[in-house]
Every structure is written in C-alpha cells, then in structure tokens.
Amino acid sequence: DLYGREERRGQGIGRLLLEAAKRHAAESGAARLSLSTATDNAAAQRLYESFGFARDSRFYHYDLSV
C-alpha cells in the first residue's frame, strides 16, 4: 500500500508520485499501471481519473488475507 499522510494531503504529492510511477513504468517497459482504492475514497478516485486512469467496469477484484 502507498498513501499520503493525512496532514500532507492536498499538496500535489499524490500527483507527483503518479508521475514518477508512470515515468518509471514507461522506462522499464511495463505494459500498464494498476491502482485500487476504497469505494468511498472519492479524493483518490478524482486524482486517478484526472491523471487518465479509467475505472475498470469489466472485472471484480478479490483479496484473501492469510
């Protein structure tokens, strides 16, 4: 997991992290970047969508804690 500390949110740090991740992915030949967020985390969803990420409407994602 990667997230910004609450007192630092709204300062553009998330966008800088996304830009760095995108640059690294492109330079290393990655095919895509994938993100997930809580369904009620509207701020993160706005950030991701403003950056060009598209919400997946074809797949459900499942996790299992062990």
Side-chain angles (χ1 to χ4, degrees):
D1 288 346
L2 179 64
Y3 57 90
R5 290 173 38 175
E6 191 167 341
E7 65 270 13
R8 296 292 194 177
R9 292 180 187 160
Q11 298 180 8
I13 296 168
R15 181 164 293 281
L16 292 173
L17 286 170
L18 288 177
E19 289 170 355
K22 182 179 178 183
R23 187 171 46 254
H24 176 72
E27 290 171 356
S28 63
R32 74 186 52 81
L33 292 173
S34 296
L35 301 170
S36 63
T37 186
T39 56
D40 63 350
N41 190 343
Q45 293 163 22
R46 282 191 304 273
L47 171 62
Y48 301 159
E49 291 171 11
S50 76
F51 201 77
F53 284 90
R55 186 180 301 186
D56 189 337
S57 62
R58 298 176 300 154
F59 295 94
Y60 290 117
H61 298 274
Y62 296 85
D63 294 313
L64 176 65
S65 297
V66 294

